Amino acid sequence: MIGFIIRRVLAMIPVLFLVALITFFLMKQAKGGPFDQEKEVAPSTIALLNRKFGLDKPAWLNTAEFNNRMSSDGPLAAVRGLFDSQFGNYMLNAVQGDLGPTYASKGTETVQDKIKQTFPISLRLGLISLTFALVVGFPLGILGALRQNTIFDYFSLIISTIGFSVPTFVTGLVLLLVMSKVFGVAPIKDPSVWEGFSMSYFPPAIILGLGTMAYITRLTRSSVLEVKRQDYIRTAKAKGLGDRVVIMRHILRNSLIPVITILGPAVAGLVTGSFIIESVFRVPGIGSEFIGAIGSRDYSMIMGSTLFFSLLVALGNIMVDLSYGLIDPRIRNS
Amino acid sequence: MATASNVAGTNPAQAQEFTRPVRSLWSDAWLRLRRNRLAMASIVYLFLLALVAIFAPVIAPHSPGRPTTTELRERGVYRQAAWVVDEKTPKRSGIWKFPLGTDSAGGDVLSRLIYGTRVSMVVGFIPMIFTLTIGITIGLISGFAGGKLDSLLMRFTDIIFSLPDILFFIIVQTAFSQTAFGKTFNGLLLIFLSFSAVNWASVARLVRGQVLSLKEKEFVEAAEAVGVRRGSILFRHILPNTLAPIIVAGAFIVPSAIVTEATLSFLGIGIQPDTNPNNPFPTSWGQMILEGKSAIDSQPWILIASAIAIASITIAFVALGDGLRDALDPRQ
């Protein structure tokens, strides 16, 4: 088990490195630096800012510094000099948990501070919507499958097809429209409501969880239908077990496994889906922050939050892989 | 059996039934699909949408571009949908000349909606073809070649698979949207490429799995035994047998590409709006939703109309995908 965890954590490293590499490469392609969008700034100021953030260094490899140190300090220092570049320094700081200053704040605030401020809000949102997706999706799927081709089944099919196909920003905006036009609820302006758990989290959380809920419903339904037809269910019924025992002990437990397998992608979907929902409902979470950073071309914030999101997704996948073993002894022993 | 042939001998109608033509997997699947009413309704709806997309200039009552000054006077800005009466500002009350009203620049909402069909159709199908081509190629090579090449390709696939895709799209859009390449076809080309660059991974996994299991089948062994070349085995024996799951996967790629474009356009970094009336792709539904969001109080029908359009097209494609899966996979 420990070996498995270590292997999986190590496998995360190349993925995260590739994400950083791709993001950094793409950010370099974008036109316009972070400091030249506002009103005219003196070239000397820009040079100073670039120097302050290390943007005057080469992007990838600092060959000049390599040659320089090779002749004076020897090969080891030269290699260190080679990586004295924007990317090299960024990665070196990132593994120590320092994601650098945000450009928007001109260096007074770091990216990790911003993440620390805004992530709890997104986490609350994500937890509520995951709970919603599980608590509603699972029973809805079971009900649909056990009462196949009845009104319950059709209801669960309709709900899950809508939730599965319609993008969240569409359902979210429709909900906002209904809330304001039909119920006269004004959109939330006061940011302090997001500081603890509050009722305001429910509309965005339910919309965010809708897709996951629908996916869980669909999967549970087909999984229960599959298990229902197995020989061991017939055996269980033949030996006279009551419906309740057959359903609870034989059908549900066995149909749970395929559902767990999608929880990894589901958590990823909740994490990356959050920034669309947050911008629809104006939730000041990390997703809104990311969208804001895109708008203002705050590259360090974009890099930092992308790495953070990728880390969350990777960790989510590991947790789910671990949970297979807890549920299914066959996987644990293989 | 004996009684069956006796009955068949005496009853010509039943005799015919016993000698009905052989049905292939595909005609069987087609019969099953035809029985699925939801899937058939979706096909009809999508066919109609395809017609709307192709004949948009004929169907649309007005030009989707920016109106001239004299037109603007008649159209008004944020004119309500035809059946809505605005008591406070009577000149914004709806008239049937502009059934769904007008937007902030005086554009006719219905005409824009009709032209928006084009983007959704194109953005659904072209990336699907790209994605399937890349995925099938890598999956076939990986599954058929095996060994080191296989593990190398699969490691690469795993990495691509674990990229958070919407994040990747957003970053690609930010990076290239201002370059000449990013502006080709209003930015549609960039969306096609970035979508396919990530989504092939699941197709490759699927195809590889299929190839691995088909490789062990008797008919492949038989083909090898009679001396069929490897290339022919791959393309004439293995590939056709992987088609059913590929078609199902392809059917689900279409709505996911449509949602991706709509999401990016909603975030303001998707396709770029164009007021040139000769542009075949002047607007997209995602963009209209973004505009509808800011006009949610003044002209809610921009939002409602484009929300219904996106919701119905994605539901139709998913229902069709479900129908295809049920029809092509007899185990279900």
Side-chain angles (χ1 to χ4, degrees):
Chain A
M1 199 64 159
I2 304 279
F4 175 78
I5 297 175
I6 293 174
R7 258 203 322 271
R8 287 302 307 266
V9 171
L10 287 179
M12 256 166 58
I13 295 171
V15 175
L16 289 178
F17 183 75
L18 198 80
V19 168
L21 205 71
I22 293 176
T23 317
F24 195 81
F25 169 76
L26 290 172
M27 290 294 96
K28 286 283 143 213
Q29 308 305 308
K31 279 189 180 160
F35 308 120
D36 54 26
Q37 60 195 343
E38 294 157 42
K39 55 186 193 298
E40 285 297 309
V41 183
S44 59
T45 318
I46 290 183
L48 216 72
L49 279 170
N50 279 340
R51 199 182 163 78
K52 183 175 168 193
F53 292 117
L55 294 175
D56 53 340
K57 291 186 175 145
W60 300 99
L61 293 172
N62 198 342
T63 43
E65 190 67 21
F66 179 79
N67 294 332
N68 202 0
R69 290 198 197 173
M70 195 66 182
S71 51
S72 57
D73 304 329
L76 214 66
V79 170
R80 174 69 194 90
L82 185 65
F83 292 106
D84 185 18
S85 61
Q86 290 177 37
F87 184 69
N89 287 332
Y90 184 85
M91 288 313 288
L92 211 66
N93 290 331
V95 291
Q96 296 166 32
D98 180 11
L99 296 171
T102 66
Y103 293 152
S105 70
K106 297 274 188 293
T108 52
E109 210 171 11
T110 61
V111 174
Q112 61 268 27
D113 287 343
K114 268 270 184 250
I115 292 178
K116 252 180 243 156
Q117 272 168 28
T118 53
F119 181 61
I121 297 174
S122 301
L123 186 65
R124 273 178 226 128
L125 189 65
L127 284 178
I128 298 175
S129 57
L130 187 63
T131 315
F132 162 76
L134 287 171
V135 167
V136 178
F138 206 49
L140 208 59
I142 295 169
L143 201 67
L146 292 181
R147 305 258 182 282
Q148 199 186 358
N149 297 329
T150 62
I151 189 103
F152 295 108
D153 191 22
Y154 296 135
F155 176 73
S156 109
L157 268 178
I158 290 171
I159 297 283
S160 62
T161 307
I162 292 176
F164 183 72
S165 14
V166 182
T168 50
F169 68 90
V170 173
T171 41
L173 284 169
V174 169
L175 180 65
L176 270 186
L177 189 73
V178 170
M179 271 163 59
S180 80
K181 294 272 160 175
V182 181
F183 300 105
V185 182
I188 296 159
K189 294 238 166 59
D190 177 18
S192 65
V193 296
W194 305 106
E195 271 162 19
F197 279 100
S198 71
M199 288 301 282
S200 315
Y201 277 105
F202 281 92
I206 286 172
I207 295 292
L208 178 59
L210 210 57
T212 314
M213 180 214 85
Y215 201 18
I216 291 175
T217 306
R218 283 163 67 101
L219 219 74
T220 311
R221 180 175 176 274
S222 63
S223 170
V224 170
L225 282 180
E226 177 105 31
V227 172
K228 235 171 79 173
R229 281 197 294 262
Q230 297 293 321
D231 289 342
Y232 58 78
I233 300 297
R234 202 184 321 126
T235 311
K237 281 186 181 154
K239 70 180 184 187
L241 289 182
D243 271 354
R244 199 189 182 78
V245 180
V246 174
I247 291 173
M248 296 302 280
R249 193 174 298 162
H250 296 274
I251 297 184
L252 291 193
R253 279 188 99 176
N254 283 297
S255 50
L256 203 67
I257 299 159
V259 181
I260 303 281
T261 58
I262 67 119
L263 281 185
V267 169
L270 290 179
V271 169
T272 53
S274 71
F275 45 68
I276 293 153
I277 281 306
E278 284 177 13
S279 71
V280 169
F281 286 88
R282 301 214 182 104
V283 183
I286 186 168
S288 301
E289 205 62 52
F290 180 74
I291 297 296
I294 293 280
S296 62
R297 299 190 169 261
D298 190 339
Y299 297 134
S300 59
M301 190 66 204
I302 298 176
M303 275 292 284
S305 25
T306 304
L307 277 178
F308 184 69
F309 280 130
S310 309
L311 182 71
L312 282 182
V313 171
L315 285 177
N317 279 327
I318 294 182
M319 303 250 277
V320 171
D321 284 0
L322 284 177
S323 64
Y324 297 154
L326 293 179
I327 290 170
D328 190 346
R330 283 170 302 183
I331 299 172
R332 195 187 314 153
N333 297 331
S334 68
Chain B
M1 260 308 162
T3 50
S5 58
N6 277 346
V7 174
T10 51
N11 188 336
Q14 269 182 342
Q16 227 170 12
E17 203 178 299
F18 274 86
T19 55
R20 66 180 174 194
V22 180
R23 292 203 322 229
S24 69
L25 166 76
W26 302 107
S27 61
D28 240 14
W30 172 237
L31 276 177
R32 272 196 293 267
L33 188 64
R34 276 205 356 219
R35 259 182 253 130
N36 185 335
R37 260 178 284 164
L38 188 59
M40 288 316 283
S42 304
I43 290 181
V44 172
Y45 177 67
L46 293 171
F47 182 71
L48 287 178
L49 279 188
L51 288 181
V52 169
I54 295 168
F55 297 108
V58 186
I59 301 168
H62 304 278
S63 154
R66 196 181 289 275
T68 60
T69 333
T70 44
E71 275 176 334
L72 189 61
R73 207 163 295 140
E74 182 195 17
R75 289 188 182 190
V77 170
Y78 285 143
R79 187 183 283 282
Q80 303 288 345
W83 52 90
V84 181
V85 178
D86 196 324
E87 270 147 18
K88 273 180 249 160
T89 37
K91 69 173 183 184
R92 284 184 45 208
S93 287
I95 47 175
W96 281 102
K97 201 169 177 197
F98 307 102
L100 291 173
T102 59
D103 62 21
S104 62
D108 177 38
V109 174
L110 178 65
S111 304
R112 293 189 61 198
L113 205 63
I114 288 172
Y115 273 87
T117 317
R118 291 182 154 187
V119 169
S120 284
M121 281 290 171
V122 166
V123 100
F125 281 102
I126 296 182
M128 175 192 74
I129 294 167
F130 286 1
T131 308
L132 287 184
T133 313
I134 307 172
I136 292 171
T137 314
I138 299 214
L140 279 182
I141 295 175
S142 196
F144 202 62
K148 277 217 180 85
L149 186 61
D150 178 35
S151 49
L152 190 74
L153 282 175
M154 277 304 113
R155 188 54 53 82
F156 182 57
T157 308
D158 284 346
I159 291 180
I160 296 290
F161 194 75
S162 50
L163 280 180
D165 49 2
I166 191 83
L167 260 177
F168 174 77
F169 302 145
I170 290 178
I171 292 165
V172 169
Q173 292 295 328
T174 330
F176 292 113
S177 61
Q178 295 311 311
T179 61
F181 161 62
K183 284 181 175 161
T184 320
F185 301 126
N186 303 20
L188 278 174
L189 182 68
L190 186 58
I191 296 180
F192 294 166
L193 292 182
S194 57
F195 182 86
S196 330
V198 176
N199 281 281
W200 60 265
S202 57
V203 180
R205 279 183 169 187
L206 174 84
V207 173
R208 175 179 174 270
Q210 292 282 321
V211 172
L212 282 183
S213 72
L214 286 169
K215 243 171 43 172
E216 308 301 320
K217 288 271 155 67
E218 287 85 355
F219 65 87
V220 173
E221 206 178 323
E224 274 168 358
V226 296
V228 181
R229 277 177 293 114
R230 277 170 70 90
S232 303
I233 290 180
L234 186 58
F235 289 107
R236 306 222 10 216
H237 297 274
I238 291 182
L239 184 61
N241 281 295
T242 61
L243 275 185
I246 290 176
I247 289 174
V248 175
F252 285 107
I253 292 174
V254 175
S256 123
I258 291 176
V259 168
T260 301
E261 182 278 324
T263 307
L264 291 174
S265 296
F266 170 71
L267 292 174
I269 50 176
I271 83 156
Q272 288 154 13
D274 196 344
T275 48
N276 175 5
N278 297 322
N279 189 318
F281 302 110
T283 187
S284 94
W285 292 341
Q287 236 164 35
M288 292 181 67
I289 292 230
L290 174 61
E291 289 175 33
K293 181 193 167 201
S294 44
I296 196 165
D297 290 318
S298 46
Q299 219 281 56
W301 276 92
I302 304 176
L303 176 62
I304 299 172
S306 41
I308 291 174
I310 294 185
S312 60
I313 198 174
T314 47
I315 289 177
F317 271 116
V318 167
L320 177 59
D322 281 346
L324 281 174
R325 191 193 48 212
D326 294 347
L328 287 167
D329 186 0
R331 277 176 308 161
Q332 289 273 325

